[in-house]
Structures are given as C-alpha cells and as structure tokens.
C-alpha cells in the first residue's frame, strides 16, 4: 500500500465552490496529521491558509499524492504538468462533466479517506506530444491528455492537409480540421465529431476528421506507438491552429508539418474502488438504464 504523507492541492481559480471544497479538504487532511501543500496560484485567493505553497512543478517533485479540485479542464492542465513526475493524481469534481474528476463534493471526506487508507485503483493514462516544424525547424511543442487538434481558428474556411502514419501516406483531405485523441479524449471533442468511445485501458489512438469534404472519410484507430504526421498544404491561404487539450495553442503556416506521438511518461490517475467507467458513461452521456427502471 502506498503511504501518502505529503498531499498537494490544485484548484480551479474563479470558483467560490472550489474554494469551499478546498477549505474542507484542507481541514480533513490536517485532522489526519498529513502535510498539505497548496499550489501557489490557488493559495493567493485563500488568505490565512497557513500552509506551505509551491509551484505546480515542485508539487510533482515533493508530493506523494496530488488532489485536483475542479472540472476535467483542471485535471487536463494538472496532468500535463504532473505526468513527468509519476505522482498519483486524484480528482474532486467541481465542474460539469467529471470524466476525470470523479469524487463528488458531498462524498469528499469518505472517498478521500478510502484512498488514504489504501482502498483505490490506479489507471495509467498516456498523453500525446505534438511538435510543429517549419522548414525543418521546430517552432512549437505541446502535450495533451485528451487530444491534439488541427483547426482553422477564427476562419470559416476548410483546411487542406496530408496525413501520414508511420511514414506511410494515408490520404489528403479537405476538412474543418483533424482530431488526434487518446482513449481518455475519446469522450471529449472526438466524440462530438463522430469518433468512437474507447475504453481507457486501450493502448490506441483515434484519428477523427472534422466535417470532411467527402462522405467516405471515417475515423481510424491506430496503435498508440504510431507516429502521425500532418502536412499542411503549402497552397493554403489561412494560418490554422494546433490546440493541445483546447488549452495550449500555436499557429501553423502553409507547408508546416505537425508530428504527433505517444509521450513516454503517463498520468497515474487514482479512483476509489467503486469507480465504474460504464456508470460514468451512463451518467455523463445520458445512456439508458436497465429495462424495467432498475439501476
């Protein structure tokens, strides 16, 4: 059983509900005589907290466990920073969906106590890393737990690009863009674009065209070890964007290449033992319950 003694807390800014939950979490952890460290940005809006503070990077280096209070967006940002440190991460949901932050605020103390007592499961979720190159020189790099997306930004014009997988030409395409998603991200933007739901245990990547200009274009699932390269048409008259998890963005020029591959480090995502992925899908996606009205 892992011994969690140094607990880091990351929270979403701008939400009084998040701050209330962090105060409760802080009291609970201190009552158990644990060492609690607040991320410096959230500490600034909690005057008189009396706790040690540190940057997100340092949290990953010194903590045995990091608890993220917020929505899935908060977890995505934390995951990109913490995966390299191999620190386990637990999510308390104060957002709207909660695919990644699955502890409800009303069960905070009970579920966190279970985790601290060693009653939890761990999922290793892989991330993607993307690199944009122009004339052979790297001009941008980003990581993503959910997806890497090529899109036109504010323009309403289509993008023309080529897709290569493991050095083999796959197709050229005109579309509103392209989504490259992990199993974690298959229930996010990729799902809205018609992609499949992939169980988190799958070691695969899904490639989903966004409103392609051909009816024969369909999502494709490839092995997670594949290297994907997107070549933006040199004749394109707009400058499309590449977004990582919808949070980090960089601009591409005509002729640029975007390379996407699996990141070596993984996120260690902790769940309480009663976590059920299919129950999460039922609840969050509005799937039907059992016949006869049973649970």
């Amino acid at each position: 059983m892992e011994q969690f003694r140094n607990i880091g807390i990351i929270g979403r800014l701008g939400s009084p509900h998040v701050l209330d939950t962090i105060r409760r979490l802080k009291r609970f952890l201190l009552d158990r005589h644990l060492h609690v460290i607040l991320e410096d940005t959230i500490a600034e809006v909690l005057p008189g907290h009396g706790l040690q503070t540190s940057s997100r990077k340092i949290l990953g280096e010194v903590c045995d466990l990091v608890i993220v209070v917020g929505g899935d967006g908060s977890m995505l940002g934390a995951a990109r920073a913490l995966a390299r440190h191999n620190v386990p991460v637990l999510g308390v949901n104060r957002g709207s969906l909660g695919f990644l932050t699955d502890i409800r605020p009303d069960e905070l103390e009970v579920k966190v106590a279970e985790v601290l007592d060693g009653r939890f499961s761990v999922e290793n979720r892989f991330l993607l890393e993307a690199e944009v190159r122009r004339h052979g020189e790297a001009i941008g790099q980003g990581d993503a737990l959910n997806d890497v997306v090529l899109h036109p930004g504010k323009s309403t014009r289509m993008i023309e690009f080529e897709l290569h997988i493991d050095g083999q030409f796959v197709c050229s395409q005109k579309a509103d863009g392209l989504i490259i998603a992990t199993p974690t991200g298959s229930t996010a933007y990729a799902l809205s674009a018609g992609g499949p739901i992939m169980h988190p245990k799958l070691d695969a990547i899904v490639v989903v065209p966004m409103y392609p200009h051909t009816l024969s274009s369909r999502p494709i699932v490839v092995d997670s070890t594949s290297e994907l390269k997107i070549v933006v048409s040199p004749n394109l008259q707009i400058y499309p964007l590449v977004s990582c998890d919808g949070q980090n963005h960089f601009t591409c020029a005509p002729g640029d290449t975007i390379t996407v591959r699996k990141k070596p480090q993984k996120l260690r995502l902790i769940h309480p033992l009663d976590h059920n992925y299919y129950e999460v899908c039922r609840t969050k996606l509005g799937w039907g319950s059992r016949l006869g009205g049973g649970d």
Side-chain angles (χ1 to χ4, degrees), residues 183 228 250:
L228 296 90
F250 28 90

Side-chain angles (χ1 to χ4, degrees), residues 16-238:
H17 299 300
V18 167
L19 297 182
D20 290 342
T21 300
I22 289 177
R23 292 186 184 100
R24 277 177 56 197
L25 179 61
K26 166 197 164 185
R27 288 194 298 268
F28 173 75
L29 295 174
L30 292 178
D31 286 345
R32 290 183 62 117
H33 308 292
L34 297 171
H35 182 214
V36 181
I37 308 171
L38 282 182
E39 184 189 15
D40 48 14
T41 54
I42 200 72
E44 292 177 1
V45 293
L46 284 170
H49 57 78
L51 300 176
Q52 178 183 344
T53 66
S54 79
S55 66
R56 188 169 293 191
K57 176 184 177 183
I58 300 299
L59 281 181
E61 295 175 353
V62 302
C63 290
D64 309 310
L65 172 69
V66 174
I67 301 177
V68 178
V69 181
D72 286 346
S74 302
M75 180 62 81
L76 292 173
R80 294 193 300 271
L82 298 174
R84 73 193 67 176
H85 302 293
N86 200 38
V87 59
V89 182
L90 177 68
V92 177
N93 185 27
R94 269 304 189 177
S96 57
L97 277 177
F99 273 100
L100 297 170
T101 50
D102 48 26
I103 293 180
R104 300 195 311 268
D106 63 300
E107 59 182 10
L108 174 69
E109 290 84 359
V110 172
K111 294 300 182 183
V112 173
E114 290 179 6
V115 170
L116 295 176
D117 292 338
R119 301 195 300 275
F120 60 86
S121 61
V122 180
E123 282 186 341
N124 292 312
R125 305 284 187 97
F126 74 84
L127 291 81
L128 299 173
E129 53 185 14
E131 181 184 63
V132 178
R133 301 187 75 87
R134 183 172 302 158
H135 307 304
E137 181 180 347
I139 63 162
Q141 190 277 335
D143 299 335
L145 178 62
N146 264 357
D147 46 44
V148 176
V149 181
L150 173 70
H151 60 98
K154 295 181 180 180
S155 174
T156 58
R157 304 183 68 172
M158 282 188 151
I159 305 170
E160 188 171 5
F161 55 87
E162 289 183 354
L163 173 64
H164 301 252
I165 299 177
D166 290 331
Q168 296 184 336
F169 172 72
V170 177
C171 64
S172 60
Q173 198 164 67
K174 284 186 178 180
D176 281 1
L178 190 70
I179 303 169
I180 301 173
T182 66
T184 300
S186 69
T187 50
Y189 198 7
L191 181 64
S192 300
I197 293 175
M198 300 166 65
H199 194 279
K201 290 183 179 179
L202 286 175
D203 200 18
I205 296 170
V206 64
V207 183
V208 185
M210 298 165 57
Y211 297 100
H213 201 233
T214 171
L215 295 177
S216 62
S217 184
R218 292 291 184 268
I220 181 172
V221 178
V222 300
D223 189 89
S224 71
T225 61
S226 301
E227 181 180 270
L228 296 90
K229 185 172 76 171
I230 307 163
V231 182
V232 180
S233 170
N235 300 318
L236 203 64
Q237 296 183 0
I238 64 170

Side-chain angles (χ1 to χ4, degrees), residues 257-276:
T257 62
I258 305 108
T259 302
V260 181
R261 62 176 68 90
K262 182 180 182 179
K263 193 173 178 65
Q265 301 88 0
K266 294 184 178 181
L267 172 69
R268 295 179 64 201
L269 184 62
I270 283 187
H271 299 291
L273 284 180
D274 61 356
H275 173 76
N276 183 325

